Amino acid sequence: MARSRENVLVIGAGMAGLAAASRLLEAGVEVSILEARARPGGRLATLDAEGLSIEAGAEFVHGTPEPLWELLARAGIATVDVGSGQVDVGTRASEPSPASEPSLAEMAEILEAFADADGSVADFLALPSTQARWSPEARARAATYVESFHAAPVALASARGTARAEQGASASSESATFRVQPGYGALVRALAAPLGDRLLLDTVVTAVRWERGRVEVDARTYPGARMRTFEARAAVITLPIGVLQLPAGAEGAIRFTPPLPEATQHAIASLGMGPVVRVVLAFAAPFSTGPGEPTFLHTPGEAFSVFWALPGKAPRASGSPTMLVAWAGGSNAAALSGRGARAIADEAQGVLARALGQDEAALAARCTGAWVFDWLLDPYARGAYAFITAGAEDAADTLATPVEDTLYIAGEATCSEAIGTVHGALRSGHRAATQVLVLRTLDQGPDGPYAPEGRYPREGA
Ligand SMILES: Cc1cc2nc3c(=O)[nH]c(=O)nc-3n(C[C@H](O)[C@H](O)[C@H](O)COP(=O)(O)OP(=O)(O)OC[C@H]3O[C@@H](n4cnc5c(N)ncnc54)[C@H](O)[C@@H]3O)c2cc1C
């Protein structure tokens, strides 16, 4: 069994892992990043689809969260404002109508009121006082929004936790939404480049043995599924909560020896991992979503509750496709998940045809391709993003607390103020790196583990 020794191991090369590793490296800490996939980025993955960039995972920048904008600026990556045109279509209406301003305003009030509520979103919406104050339309819109945008079944989602995440998703006084022009993949490349061969791809962590000040990590590497053990002073663990929640012995579960502290285990178990099914539909000819070409087309009550057009909608050359995203989150996504790409794509086309009052077969005939991303089935994510469940309002903060100054858990699920977002993941990575660096400062005696000739030098150093 090959062995190597490092100062700090970072497990997972999504936004949190890349951010933590970059910070540590900048501070002179020897770091190795172990990533299961053949690419960095995790839930940031930009694909080339018929000449257009499409996102399998995150697509938007919500608001103007400082560290993310700073990174984008440093990497010279442009963003575009997505626009805010919204239309509602009834389940079988042929005439989309602009989303009613009063119901949008009422929904915003409901989301704000979550902040003072105990229990789940469903509990809050069912309260007589809630029913007396807000219209059924606004309550239904709020429920659909939480299921869709937060990917959180309303019966499970904490009202207070959702309010907090909602503030974090806006992340600024202006709650505009932006798109990373070349795709989030460009940011991943910019972050990964300086890490060089410290970033080990195709390296699937299977076990973590730890004691205060020392970590051993077993990983399966390809080709040949060779086992390798890495040793370090500390580990930053950025595994998605869906992976950490796998029961012992399940395919993909990571064995911690000794087990993580009870409070940490409890926090992991009590967070929710929201399912999302995202479909990108390509059309041979420009596809109109109605008068004014709204950005978002809401289809409440359907399996896919919102559609939006991707940039490049106007053909760049004759025959260029037009692309639409069909989005299902929460309970809808859980019901769709596992049905297979063909069935899911057909369902998306069916909803779109009904929403626009078009013939389903005719619409299907115009569709030249579909990309289906069923995140619940992704073995290295096991869902799209985390949400705070009722009663677990402190879970993210518990996870952000270092374990014996040795294991530092990061990732979007550990950032209570921006859970489920790219900037939440980024902040968590920076937070974990800072925690490691503070300890390093304390430990930097002549024999300390972080001293240049310390106990765990890089192999061959
Ligand atoms: C469909 C979808 C749409 C989204 N839309 C948005 C959006 O518009 N805006 C926004 O802000 N956020 C959005 N998000 C959320 C955002 O993508 C995530 O919050 C963020 O990217 C998570 O980063 P992370 O580093 O915490 O986790 P990840 O990116 O999941 O990184 C964890 C890494 O750990 C690796 N890993 C897993 N298991 C192992 C193992 N055993 N060994 C080694 N490595 C392992 C994974 O491969 C992964 O690379 C979206 C997510 C999805 C799925």
Side-chain angles (χ1 to χ4, degrees):
M1 193 156 57
R3 296 175 89 84
S4 69
R5 297 174 162 214
E6 313 290 345
N7 259 344
V8 176
L9 292 171
V10 175
I11 303 179
M15 177 49 88
L18 292 171
S22 308
R23 271 277 156 98
L24 290 169
L25 195 62
E26 277 165 22
V29 173
E30 259 320 318
V31 61
S32 283
I33 308 115
L34 312 181
E35 168 54 50
R37 301 179 202 261
R39 58 164 183 84
R43 285 170 272 167
L44 302 180
T46 308
L47 315 180
D48 180 48
E50 298 181 10
L52 286 178
S53 294
I54 60 168
E55 302 285 12
E59 177 175 350
F60 301 118
V61 179
H62 300 293
T64 52
E66 212 177 301
L68 183 53
W69 282 87
E70 222 175 85
L71 270 191
L72 289 163
R74 237 202 287 166
I77 295 173
T79 54
V80 277
D81 195 329
V82 166
S84 57
Q86 318 250 352
V87 297
D88 287 338
V89 286
T91 36
R92 280 171 200 280
S94 56
E95 298 239 328
S97 58
S100 105
E101 287 298 331
S103 91
L104 284 175
E106 272 194 280
M107 181 183 82
E109 277 177 29
I110 294 175
L111 296 176
E112 258 175 52
F114 284 165
D116 301 317
D118 290 324
S120 71
V121 167
D123 292 341
F124 178 78
L125 293 175
L127 288 175
S129 53
T130 306
Q131 305 208 352
R133 187 162 164 204
W134 290 290
S135 68
E137 190 200 357
R139 282 183 272 124
R141 182 180 279 280
T144 302
Y145 178 81
V146 172
E147 291 264 354
S148 180
F149 180 76
H150 292 279
V154 288
L156 299 176
S158 154
R160 234 177 321 131
T162 304
R164 189 133 192 236
E166 185 57 23
Q167 282 164 2
S170 306
S172 73
S173 47
E174 329 125 48
S175 60
T177 303
F178 303 86
R179 189 178 271 119
V180 180
Q181 201 165 35
Y184 265 117
L187 186 58
V188 170
R189 283 193 296 280
L191 280 168
L195 300 172
D197 61 6
R198 295 174 181 87
L199 172 56
L200 302 171
L201 301 174
D202 287 322
T203 303
V204 183
V205 170
T206 56
V208 176
R209 290 178 297 281
W210 63 281
E211 61 189 39
R212 184 174 263 275
R214 184 182 162 87
V215 183
E216 275 190 1
V217 172
D218 291 342
R220 204 176 61 225
T221 62
Y222 291 90
R226 192 165 63 103
M227 285 305 290
R228 207 174 151 189
T229 297
F230 299 83
E231 289 179 31
R233 161 71 182 83
V236 175
I237 298 169
T238 73
L239 296 164
I241 207 75
V243 172
L244 288 171
Q245 283 176 339
L246 289 170
E251 174 74 29
I254 291 151
R255 189 156 28 86
F256 286 86
T257 312
L260 290 168
E262 230 160 78
T264 310
Q265 287 190 50
H266 180 72
I268 290 170
S270 62
L271 282 168
M273 186 61 167
V276 165
V277 173
R278 175 193 170 96
V279 179
V280 179
L281 298 173
F283 295 91
F287 190 98
S288 174
T289 48
E293 297 293 349
T295 309
F296 295 98
L297 187 70
H298 296 281
T299 49
E302 292 279 13
F304 289 88
S305 59
V306 61
F307 289 76
W308 64 86
L310 286 181
K313 187 169 187 305
R316 289 176 307 182
S318 131
S320 291
T322 282
M323 298 210 177
L324 289 181
V325 174
W327 178 274
S331 310
N332 280 347
L336 284 167
S337 179
R339 284 175 50 189
R342 161 67 60 191
I344 290 174
D346 286 351
E347 181 74 40
Q349 288 170 2
V351 174
L352 186 62
R354 285 196 291 281
L356 298 177
Q358 297 185 4
D359 178 71
E360 209 171 312
L363 185 140
R366 290 165 59 200
C367 184
T368 56
W371 290 260
V372 175
F373 305 104
D374 181 349
W375 279 91
L376 213 48
L377 298 189
D378 184 296
Y380 302 122
R382 308 276 178 166
Y385 38 86
F387 63 91
I388 296 173
T389 59
E393 285 76 12
D394 297 332
D397 294 337
T398 303
L399 289 182
T401 309
V403 176
E404 300 271 353
D405 291 331
T406 303
L407 302 181
Y408 299 84
I409 301 179
E412 51 90 10
T414 70
C415 183
S416 57
E417 71 274 19
I419 198 164
T421 65
V422 175
H423 60 277
L426 172 61
R427 274 192 208 158
S428 77
H430 285 165
R431 181 262 306 151
T434 304
Q435 288 170 331
V436 171
L437 292 172
V438 166
L439 180 71
R440 174 187 183 233
T441 312
L442 299 174
D443 264 8
Q444 221 167 20
D447 301 322
Y450 290 102
E453 304 300 326
R455 272 189 285 155
Y456 305 116
R458 197 176 160 79
E459 195 172 47

